[in-house]
Amino acid sequence: MQLAEQQKQLVKAAHAVKSQHNRLSTVKVLQRAIVIFLGASLVAVGLEIFLVPNNIIDGGVVGISIITSHLSGLPIGLFLFLFNLPFLFLGYKQIGKTFAISTLFGVAVMSIGTTLLHPVPPLTDQPTLAAVFGGIILGVGVGLVIRSGGSLDGTEIVAILFNKKTPFSVGEVVMFFNFFILGSAGFVFGWDNAMFSLIAYYIAFKMIDITIEGFDESKAVWIISERNLEIGEALLSRLGRGVTYLNGEGAYTGDTKRVIFSVINRLEEAKLKSIVDELDPHAFLAVGNIHDVKGGRFKKKDIH
């Protein structure tokens, strides 16, 4: 009898955990959907309020859609949706169902958003302002969608597939496609607009990076110095970051070296370099980007 009661309690506990897990999953799905909706809406604003009215294009499928819409007179939202459909199928096959659904939702919102915003007059007719602010808004929007596990441009999916079969990186493949897309803007809209398109594309590219990684993008630091203890203490007390001492050996001299390892963010890089240069101008310093930090004691203290 007592055993039967314990089993009932275990079953109830299991159902409670499962119910809590489902609720959490639903919340996460809603959060992702809201962020993707916001990001895709920002892209629509950047296109219809800044770039498209000034004959400035972006790279990838968006750029192809702008050119096709201009030549055919049909809404850009139609081409944004149609041109991305084949890549959605590829994304579903190669990357996964969640990615495909997130991308489909984002592309649909972007397409509908550009259609609804098309009658709205642009905020500026100055191509420089349009390229700068359109690129910023577009980049933030795309970055939010990517950060939430989706995509708004099918060329990125193609680049991933090419990367698996060729020695070129994803970035190199994307740049290869965009070279021809942005170049074609010169023949359609004029070479001045093609150069403004290049400016918008570069700004959007940088804003995507900032949106995805944030201003607190982490950097790994390795320092080799004879004054390692002093530098380590300075990083602890003045920069407010924890340090780890690693044992190393010089391949040429065979001397034992103590390597200082630490993780900082991009805003602290200049301060760290000044501390190292102040204590040992001849120290070896290497800084590398890292995209994720988990565990340990990566906690910020005050900078002095």
Side-chain angles (χ1 to χ4, degrees), residues 103-134:
T103 300
L104 177 61
F105 177 64
V107 170
V109 172
M110 176 178 63
S111 303
I112 296 172
T114 54
T115 303
L116 296 176
L117 290 172
H118 186 69
V120 179
L123 288 183
T124 180
D125 58 359
Q126 296 293 322
T128 304
L129 293 175
V132 172
F133 286 95

Side-chain angles (χ1 to χ4, degrees), residues 22-277:
N22 289 336
R23 287 199 298 271
L24 288 173
S25 298
T26 303
V27 170
K28 289 181 179 179
V29 169
L30 288 175
Q31 289 176 340
R32 175 177 291 187
I34 291 171
V35 175
I36 291 176
F37 178 85
L38 176 61
S41 300
L42 285 175
V43 173
V45 170
L47 289 173
E48 286 293 351
I49 305 299
F50 291 96
L51 300 183
V52 174
N54 290 280
N55 293 327
I56 299 173
I57 76 168
D58 186 37
V61 171
V62 173
I64 297 173
S65 300
I66 294 174
I67 294 174
T68 308
S69 174
H70 176 79
L71 295 176
S72 65
L74 297 174
I76 182 179
L78 174 65
F79 297 107
L80 286 171
F81 189 79
L82 290 179
F83 290 163
N84 272 301
L85 282 180
F87 303 114
L88 283 171
F89 179 75
L90 287 174
Y92 176 78
K93 290 291 186 181
Q94 299 293 329
I95 301 177
K97 180 180 178 180
T98 302
F99 171 81
I101 293 174
S102 300
T103 300
L104 177 61
F105 177 64
V107 170
V109 172
M110 176 178 63
S111 303
I112 296 172
T114 54
T115 303
L116 296 176
L117 290 172
H118 186 69
V120 179
L123 288 183
T124 180
D125 58 359
Q126 296 293 322
T128 304
L129 293 175
V132 172
F133 286 95
I136 291 173
I137 295 173
L138 191 77
V140 171
V142 172
L144 288 174
V145 174
I146 294 175
R147 191 167 183 169
S148 298
S151 176
L152 294 177
D153 197 310
T155 54
E156 296 170 0
I157 301 173
V158 176
I160 293 172
L161 300 181
F162 267 88
N163 173 250
K164 293 179 179 179
K165 299 180 180 180
T166 66
F168 302 105
S169 67
V170 173
E172 289 171 339
V173 176
V174 170
M175 286 299 297
F176 177 78
F177 284 125
N178 288 334
F179 174 80
F180 291 100
I181 295 169
L182 294 171
S184 63
F187 296 99
V188 178
F189 300 117
W191 293 107
D192 285 349
N193 291 85
M195 287 185 279
F196 284 122
S197 298
L198 188 61
I199 293 173
Y201 173 75
Y202 177 77
I203 293 174
F205 178 80
K206 299 304 292 183
M207 290 306 301
I208 290 172
D209 176 55
I210 291 174
T211 304
I212 294 174
E213 303 296 343
F215 285 102
D216 286 335
E217 178 186 2
S218 299
K219 292 178 175 288
V221 181
W222 295 267
I223 306 167
I224 302 176
S225 169
E226 297 297 330
R227 304 181 65 181
N228 49 78
L229 290 177
E230 294 176 60
I231 294 175
E233 289 297 323
L235 297 183
L236 280 168
S237 61
R238 295 168 57 185
L239 193 62
R241 289 296 185 191
V243 299
T244 300
Y245 295 109
L246 308 174
N247 292 321
E249 182 180 336
Y252 181 74
T253 62
D255 295 339
T256 301
K257 301 285 186 182
R258 177 174 282 187
V259 182
I260 303 171
F261 174 77
S262 184
V263 177
I264 62 173
N265 64 46
R266 69 167 78 187
L267 300 180
E268 298 165 340
E269 184 177 353
K271 178 67 175 178
L272 178 138
K273 288 180 178 178
S274 67
I275 291 174
V276 174
D277 190 59

